[in-house]
Amino acid sequence: MSGLAWRGVVEGFYGEPWSHADRLAWFQRGGAIGLNHYLYAPKDDPWHREDWREPYPADRLAGLARLNDEAAARGVRFVYAISPGLSMRFHEDGEHEALACKCRQLLDAGIRSFALLFDDVPMDDPEALGRAHGAVAARFRESFLRPAGIDEPVLFCPTDYAGLARTPYRVGLAKTLPADARVLWTGPDIVVGAVTADDVAQAARSFDRDLVLWDNFPVNDFDRSRLFLGPLTGREAAPGLVGIVANPMVEAAPSRFALETVAEWAADPASYDPAAAASRAYAAVAGTDDGLRTLVDACSAWPPGSPRWPRLDALVAAERWREAADLLSRLADTHPGPATPPDLAAQLAPWIAAARAAGAAGVLACGALAGDDAAPTVDSLLTARRTLEAEFADVARGAVLALVDRALERLGVAPHRALGDGARIAVLTGANPAPGDRELVEFLGGAGMRAHLGDDPDADLIIITRQAPEEVARAAAKRPVPLLAWAHLVPLGLASAAAVPLSVDRVHIADPAHPVAAGLTGEVVVYRGRSKLTVADPPEETAVVAREPESGRAVIGLTPVGARMADGSAAPAARATFFLAADGFAPWLVTPEARALLLATVRDLLD
């Protein structure tokens, strides 16, 4: 098939929206390369989602009108998306009138393209919900779009937006959704490595409508420490797929590396070559200087769970230390060139610093592993590791830290050692401890406690990290020993429900008088960048010291010995839940305030 008719970008990620300057820069480039639709759907705009009924204040409306005009001047169609599904009462006429009234305000400001989004809303009765959503779209078309002279098909995002099967929701939706509606679909899953022609065919049949691929590439809102700078891969077009809208990263300028390749694929899927497209994208975005090329290479993996930097992995697996050192030395020399656009250099700055730290540490490790005459000292390796671990941005961090630890072991140093002389603390982790787990041991050791990775039958306190297997955590929770956890909270009886919201960097101190509050009050920034936060619905007798600011759910809770747990059992010793998540106590992530809260929680459990 030839190129797709509908090609664009959706600002649909969670977290800080693009700036006005970011959007203007993208309109200029997007229009030039054929990604000529821009779907406005930032989750942090309350009038788009939570307060969808409320009219925009004059200044915000004027800002949207300017964006619409500036997009049009650059050949890009501005599409305003509204997301009423969280609270809309579908059977009330007034709700449909409110939706039309809200969009009429935008129409009067000059916006003439709209989309209806019903993503990420609860589904109690899927088939009935699908019918209701389709009916909203049909009524919106007949009562607002057509009277306004807008004859384009309804662009619609369903609640059931991922997967291939004909689900009850999709059955209900197909009964009421206008036949010419275009359905936004993310592929066989939400974030995917591949979308095949067969996937497209199955999904189109399941909706009985044409599809626009909402491609969650190269979005990074689920892991704010990473960038995805490589080309689009693993995509096939097929009848039934009429468009693509790519969900970019929070960092607008670095997103251009990937979006250039999306434009190439969308223009001619059949002849698309990812490697060639990536080469052209680098030249278009970064220019002729090679100072960013190794950074881009190290951050080109997709999907997110795939090996981060296969080129380095292959050299390490073959123990080709000098070649690995040469590659890492190029990473250590990462720098913007004279012609690098200022916004790109500014937004890449944290990852440039991280690349230089990773490259420098990796070169030292390779020297030790190669047995060079001028091999680094243990102290220099430890210093390089600490420097790398302090970087919030992640450029080959895991691979290089593993390399450094391997070098330390070659020099006779055990990277994971018990520290401290006071209370015995067992930090339960997995077979491959995360850097945050090691950092936790060192932090507690520095506070005078004897902490180590792994179980200890004589432990005074047990800490359960995200890496700990559930069966290990369950066994530990049966012991009459104080316990602190940020994983397996429901199986351990520490919560009736738990979740991990994305893109959060702070907590609200709910009980500043409690010793665990460490003297802090109000909203406290606990992460050095937006990341994941573990929230919980704790047992009734739990003292909640801190909560997630938006939902109000507990992020630090202490349950006393003997209290009834969420599973009905009695706590065999004091229990605490903490807000850390996948990266745990990672040194590149936690702030001094987070360290103070953790230490206060540990000391409270030990008292």
Side-chain angles (χ1 to χ4, degrees):
M1 62 181 295
S2 59
L4 301 180
W6 209 103
R7 312 170 196 170
V9 165
V10 53
E11 190 177 334
F13 47 78
Y14 289 85
E16 183 179 356
W18 281 3
S19 69
H20 184 74
D22 288 334
R23 290 165 178 157
L24 290 185
W26 175 250
F27 295 160
Q28 187 71 44
R29 188 59 190 165
I33 62 178
L35 290 181
N36 50 14
H37 286 75
Y38 166 80
L39 183 57
Y40 176 88
K43 298 294 193 293
D44 277 14
D45 177 350
W47 295 277
H48 153 76
R49 191 172 177 86
E50 286 84 359
D51 299 326
W52 63 270
R53 299 176 186 85
E54 301 298 321
Y56 275 97
D59 59 336
R60 295 296 295 264
L61 182 65
L64 290 173
R66 284 196 302 274
L67 284 177
N68 179 66
D69 293 344
E70 289 163 347
R74 294 161 176 81
V76 174
R77 191 166 188 82
F78 183 95
V79 183
Y80 178 83
I82 189 165
S83 185
L86 287 174
S87 61
M88 189 175 190
R89 299 180 294 275
F90 304 113
H91 300 297
E92 295 184 14
D93 289 343
E95 294 286 87
H96 295 273
E97 292 167 3
L99 178 61
C101 184
K102 173 64 169 285
C103 291
R104 197 168 293 113
Q105 183 198 30
L106 295 154
L107 180 72
D108 291 343
I111 295 169
R112 295 192 58 81
S113 285
F114 296 86
L116 293 177
L117 308 188
F118 289 91
D119 54 314
D120 300 339
V121 300
M123 279 201 294
D124 295 326
D125 183 342
E127 185 172 355
L129 189 68
R131 287 198 306 272
H133 287 174
V136 172
R139 188 163 174 174
F140 183 74
R141 183 184 69 168
E142 297 308 317
S143 65
F144 172 71
L145 293 179
R146 295 299 180 263
I150 300 172
D151 59 0
E152 61 188 29
V154 175
L155 185 62
F156 180 88
C157 183
T159 301
D160 184 5
Y161 53 74
L164 309 176
R166 188 168 175 79
T167 62
Y169 175 91
R170 296 180 187 185
V171 169
L173 180 68
K175 293 177 181 177
T176 54
L177 186 68
D180 66 343
R182 292 169 173 171
V183 174
L184 290 160
W185 168 72
T186 64
D189 207 336
I190 298 172
V191 178
V192 298
V195 177
T196 68
D198 186 58
D199 292 338
V200 171
Q202 288 188 59
R205 285 195 299 269
S206 75
F207 285 108
D208 194 25
R209 299 292 187 279
D210 284 339
L211 306 174
V212 172
L213 179 63
W214 176 309
D215 204 331
N216 279 317
F217 166 85
V219 67
N220 67 339
D221 59 2
F222 52 85
D223 189 344
R224 294 291 294 107
S225 67
R226 294 185 65 185
L227 293 180
F228 301 100
L229 307 178
L232 183 69
T233 60
R235 302 296 187 265
E236 294 179 356
L241 184 68
V242 299
I244 183 172
V245 57
N247 195 9
M249 296 184 287
V250 177
E251 291 76 23
S255 295
R256 295 174 204 152
F257 288 107
L259 296 178
E260 291 274 335
T261 71
V262 172
E264 281 206 28
W265 178 83
D268 190 357
S271 61
Y272 174 72
D273 180 339
S279 179
R280 286 188 286 269
Y282 185 90
V285 175
T288 57
D289 190 275
D290 286 338
L292 299 175
R293 194 173 294 277
T294 308
L295 168 62
V296 171
D297 184 43
C299 296
S300 285
W302 190 266
S306 62
R308 299 284 188 93
W309 198 6
R311 185 175 304 186
L312 177 63
D313 292 345
L315 295 174
V316 170
E319 298 189 355
R320 292 155 61 181
W321 304 123
R322 288 180 173 80
E323 292 176 63
D326 180 64
L327 178 63
L328 288 161
S329 69
R330 295 198 297 273
L331 186 67
D333 188 39
T334 296
H335 61 275
T340 302
D343 60 343
L344 179 63
Q347 293 177 28
L348 280 179
W351 286 270
I352 291 173
R356 295 175 70 89
V363 168
L364 289 176
C366 288
L369 291 164
D372 290 346
D373 294 337
T377 64
V378 168
D379 285 345
S380 65
L381 276 170
L382 289 172
T383 298
R385 189 180 74 182
R386 294 294 297 172
T387 300
L388 174 57
E389 288 183 331
E391 297 290 343
F392 173 75
D394 182 355
V395 179
R397 182 195 293 130
V400 173
L401 288 175
L403 201 59
V404 171
D405 285 350
R406 186 169 173 177
L408 287 168
E409 290 170 357
R410 175 73 62 87
L411 297 175
V413 176
H416 311 305
R417 59 188 185 276
L419 296 175
D421 298 317
R424 299 172 69 98
I425 299 179
V427 178
L428 301 189
T429 183
N432 297 303
D437 300 343
R438 179 176 60 241
E439 173 70 11
L440 179 60
V441 166
E442 295 182 359
F443 172 70
L444 294 173
M449 303 169 196
R450 186 166 180 77
H452 67 94
L453 294 173
D455 203 358
D456 179 353
D458 298 319
D460 299 305
L461 171 68
I462 298 170
I463 297 178
I464 295 176
T465 74
R466 184 69 56 178
Q467 305 292 320
E470 184 178 317
E471 60 274 15
V472 173
R474 284 180 179 272
K478 295 177 181 177
R479 292 157 56 181
V481 177
L483 183 145
L484 169 64
W486 51 84
H488 311 302
L489 302 187
V490 174
L492 298 182
L494 300 176
S496 57
V500 185
L502 301 176
S503 295
V504 184
D505 65 356
R506 63 196 62 210
V507 303
H508 175 74
I509 303 299
D511 186 1
H514 198 288
V516 165
L520 300 170
T521 60
E523 286 198 5
V524 175
V525 175
V526 293
Y527 291 154
R528 294 172 56 198
R530 291 177 179 268
S531 189
K532 302 172 184 177
L533 199 77
T534 297
V535 301
D537 299 331
E540 185 176 345
E541 297 177 61
T542 295
V544 177
V545 177
R547 298 183 182 275
E548 196 272 317
E550 291 191 9
S551 69
R553 298 177 77 181
V555 293
I556 302 178
L558 293 107
T559 305
V561 60
R564 182 174 294 277
M565 306 277 282
D567 60 5
S569 65
R575 297 286 184 260
T577 61
F578 206 72
F579 56 76
L580 298 176
D583 286 325
F585 203 66
W588 58 82
L589 180 64
V590 291
T591 62
E593 291 77 8
R595 291 171 177 265
L597 290 167
L598 189 283
L599 187 58
T601 304
V602 167
R603 286 175 170 160
D604 189 80
L605 289 169
L606 290 171
D607 283 346

